[in-house]
Amino acid sequence: MVTLNLAPNIPDPDGFYERLIEAHRGLSDADSALLNARLILLLANQIGDRAILDAALEKAASLPIER
Amino acid sequence: MSSFDYPTYPYRPAPEQLGETAPTSPVIVIGAGPVGLTIAIDLGQRGIPVILLDDDDTVSHGSRAICWSKRTLEIVDRLRLAEPLVERGINWRVGRVFRNDREVYRFDLLPEAGHKLPAFINLQQYHVEQALIEATPETVDLRFRHKVVAICQDADRVELTVETPDGRYTTKARYVVAADGAHSTTRAALGLSFEGRVFDERFLIADVKMKADFPTERWFWFDPPFHRGGSTLLHRQADDIWRIDFQLGPDADPQSERRPDRVLPRLKAMLGPKAEFDLEWVSIYTFRCRRMRRFRHGRIFFAGDSAHQVSPFGARGGNGGIQDVDNLAWKLAAVLGGQASDRLLDSYDDERVPATDENILNSTRSTDFITPKTATSRAFRDAVLSLAEDAPFARALVNSGRLSTPHSYADSPLSTPDSDAFTGGPPPGAPCPDAPITGPDGVSAWLLNQLGGDFALLVFEADPVDTDLRQVRIGGTGGWTDPEGLAAGRYDLRPGTCYLIRPDQHVAARWRYADGATVRRALHRARAAEHSTIETAPMEAR
Ligand SMILES: Cc1cc2nc3c(=O)[nH]c(=O)nc-3n(C[C@H](O)[C@H](O)[C@H](O)COP(=O)(O)OP(=O)(O)OC[C@H]3O[C@@H](n4cnc5c(N)ncnc54)[C@H](O)[C@@H]3O)c2cc1C
C-alpha cells in the first residue's frame, strides 16, 4: 500500500491557491471543467504511478460530498 | 442499391423429410454466419460429419463486419482458406485519429515484419461468408432455409425441430453449436438471457462506392468540421467501397435518418460537393456490450453473437466469435473421437468467458470515450483530445476503438504453469506468434502452418522428444532453420526448449528441457483428463 503524502508539500500555498483560482477567472462552468480535466491529466502523467493515482482517487471519493 | 450480386443457395429437403430415419448426428451447427461456417468447416476437415442449418438462402444482408484481425486470418489459414480472403481484402495496419481537422494520434498495428498474415484486412462480411460457404467440405451438410424453431435436450442428445418450405421435421445430435446470432432462437428456447449494458447512442452507417485516393488507413474524427458534435469513421473495403460511420446521438430518429435526403447531405459535407459516389447500403444501429453468463448449457454451446455482443469499435464481434469456435472445434473433435472426456468441453467456458470479458471491457471503454455520458466525462474526453496534439502521453488515452487482439488463456485449467524460467515468448495459454522458417531443402515456410491443427511439439536445437506427437524441430540435425532468428526471439528459445502447442495453436506448456513423460502429463492436462488416468492411460494424438 502506498500512503498519500497528506503533509504540506506545496511551497507558498496561498500563492498556488490564488494561481489556481485565477486560472478559472471568467470561464464558464464547462470551460472550467475542461481546464480542470486537463490539469488532472497533466498532473496524473507527471506522477505516473498507478498506486498513487488510485490512492488519490480513493481519498478524493471517500470524503463526504458536502456543499 | 447494392453492387454486390447476392448468391442464392437452393433449398433442398433433408433426408429426415423424405422418410429416412437419420442417425443421431455427432454435431449440428445452427446458423451459417461467419462463426457457424467456421466451426462447421473446422469439424468437417477433422473428418466429423456436421449438419449446418441456416434459415436464409444467401449470405449476410447489407453491411456488417468489415475488419478481420490477424488472429482470425491465422485461424482461417489453419483451415487453408485465408489466402483468397487476403488477396481480395484490403490490407491495412495504420489508424489515424483527428480532432476537428487536425491529426492527434496515429497507431500502427503491426510495426514488425516476419508474419505471414497482415494485422488486419477489410473485407465485407458477405464476401467472407460466400468464400466459406464455397469451401465447406463434403462432410458438411449445409441446409439452407432450414430454420430451427424448437430445441430440447436430455442427458444423451439434443433434439431440434426444423421448419422448411416443405414443413417441419425433427433431428437429433450429440452436440449442438448455437451460432444463430444476436437474436438466437436457441437462447430464447432455453430461456436464457444476457447480462451487460445497452447504449442509447445511434450511429449511421453509409457504405458508398467511389474512386477515392484516401490512403488505406482507418480514419476516425472527433468533432470534424463536416459533422459537428459527433464522430465519424472512414474505412476502405474491397471493390472500391468505403464504410462511413456517423455518430448521430441518442435522439436521432432511425426512420428519417436513413432516408437518402438526410444521408446524402452528410456525405457531401464530408466528401466535398464534387465527390462522385453511389450509396451501397444505409443503416442505423445502436449497440450493446453484454454476454450470456455461461456459453455451455449441457450439450449446447453458444458461440459468436448468440453468446455475446460488443460495439463495433474494435472489430471484436466477428473476430471474437471466430476465436470462440477455434477454441471449441478441437475440443468437440477430441471428445467425439474418444481422445478426451466430456469434461474437456467445460473448458470452453473457462477460456472463452474471460476472453469475452476482455472484448467487452475494451469495447465498453471505447464506447465510453466516443460517447461520453455526462458533462464531466465529456470534459475529460475533450481534455485528452486537446492535449494529445502536443503532449504525447495524452495520445495513449485517445480511444477510438482498441482493435481486436487474441486473448491469452492465462488461468486456463488446461495449461501447465511454467516451472522453468522464461523471459519472453508466449506463456501457457497464449496464442503462438508466427515466424518465417526454412526447410532443410531451402524452402521457406511459416511456423504456424507447420504447427498445424493437432497437438504438436515445438523443439529447439534438440533431438526429437520420445512421444508420438508431431514435432516441429527448429535447429539441430534435420530441423528447420530460423534464418532471421525471429522464431528464437519470439519464443525465447534456447537449446532444449520445448513448447507443447494445442490444436488451436495456443501454448499448453513449455520447458527448457522435456522428456516424453513430462510432455504426456501436460498433454493429459490439456485434454482435461481425470487426474487418476494421467500415468496409466496415455493417449496420443494421431
Ligand atoms: C455495423 C457493424 C459493423 C461490424 N463490424 C465488425 C467488424 O469490423 N469486425 C468484426 O469482427 N465484427 C464486426 N461486426 C460484428 C459482426 O457482424 C458479428 O459479430 C458477426 O456477424 C457474428 O457472426 P455470427 O456467425 O455469430 O452471427 P450472424 O452473422 O448473425 O449469423 C447468424 C446466422 O444464423 C442464422 N439463423 C438465425 N436464427 C436461425 C434459426 N432459428 N435457424 C437457423 N438459422 C438461424 C442467420 O440467418 C445467420 O445466417 C459488426 C457488426 C455491425 C452491426
Side-chain angles (χ1 to χ4, degrees), chain B residues 31 34-35 54-55 64-67 125 148 179-180 185 205 305 317-319:
Chain B
V35 174
D54 194 83
D55 60 354
R64 295 172 72 198
I66 58 171
C67 305
Q125 186 163 336
V148 174
D180 49 354
T185 312
I205 284 193
D305 278 15
N319 289 305

Side-chain angles (χ1 to χ4, degrees), chain B residues 313-357:
Chain B
F313 303 103
R316 289 169 180 265
N319 289 305
I322 285 174
Q323 287 162 43
D324 288 343
V325 291
D326 175 51
N327 186 282
L328 182 57
W330 70 270
K331 295 176 181 174
L332 280 173
V335 172
L336 289 163
Q339 293 108 23
S341 78
D342 182 88
R343 277 161 46 98
L344 176 60
L345 299 172
D346 287 337
S347 68
Y348 176 61
D349 268 340
D350 296 329
E351 297 186 331
R352 290 313 298 171
V353 166
T356 298
D357 283 343

Side-chain angles (χ1 to χ4, degrees), chain B residues 102-122:
Chain B
R102 294 227 290 276
E103 181 175 322
V104 291
Y105 176 61
R106 175 183 189 281
F107 56 78
D108 185 337
L109 296 167
L110 190 60
E112 58 173 30
H115 295 262
K116 176 176 179 185
L117 291 159
F120 268 92
I121 63 161
N122 282 3

Side-chain angles (χ1 to χ4, degrees), chain B residues 14 36 59 78 87-88 221 239 273 304 370 394 420 447 488 516 530 541:
Chain B
V59 291
R78 179 169 61 68
E87 231 161 76
R88 177 131 208 196
W221 289 263
D239 318 324
I370 294 165
D420 298 340
L447 179 55
E530 295 286 350

Side-chain angles (χ1 to χ4, degrees), chain B residues 29-37 53-56 58-60 63-69 72 120 122 125 129 146-149 178-186 205 243 245 283 285-286 303-308 310-312 314-321 404:
Chain B
V29 178
I30 311 174
V35 174
L37 282 161
L53 302 170
D54 194 83
D55 60 354
D56 203 0
T58 186
V59 291
S60 171
S63 189
R64 295 172 72 198
I66 58 171
C67 305
W68 306 97
S69 71
T72 291
F120 268 92
N122 282 3
Q125 186 163 336
E129 291 184 15
H146 285 244
K147 179 187 171 80
V148 174
V149 291
D180 49 354
H183 306 288
S184 170
T185 312
T186 316
I205 284 193
R243 159 74 47 88
D245 197 326
S283 59
Y285 70 92
T286 57
D305 278 15
S306 74
H308 45 70
V310 292
S311 82
R316 289 169 180 265
N319 289 305
S404 176

Side-chain angles (χ1 to χ4, degrees), chain B residues 7 40 134 194 246 309 335 368 413 431 472 482 501 505:
Chain B
E134 281 163 15
F194 274 137
F246 295 104
Q309 288 143 38
V335 172
D368 281 336
V472 178
D482 179 18
I501 315 279
Q505 300 184 342

Side-chain angles (χ1 to χ4, degrees), chain A residues 30 33-45, chain B residues 99 375-376 378-380 382-384 386-387 391 393 397:
Chain A
L34 181 65
L35 179 74
N36 277 337
R38 281 187 193 143
L39 257 179
I40 290 170
L41 293 169
L42 285 163
L43 296 173
N45 184 62
Chain B
R99 177 189 193 223
T376 302
R378 181 164 197 112
F380 274 109
D382 291 345
V384 165
S386 62
L387 286 168
F393 86 88
L397 300 171

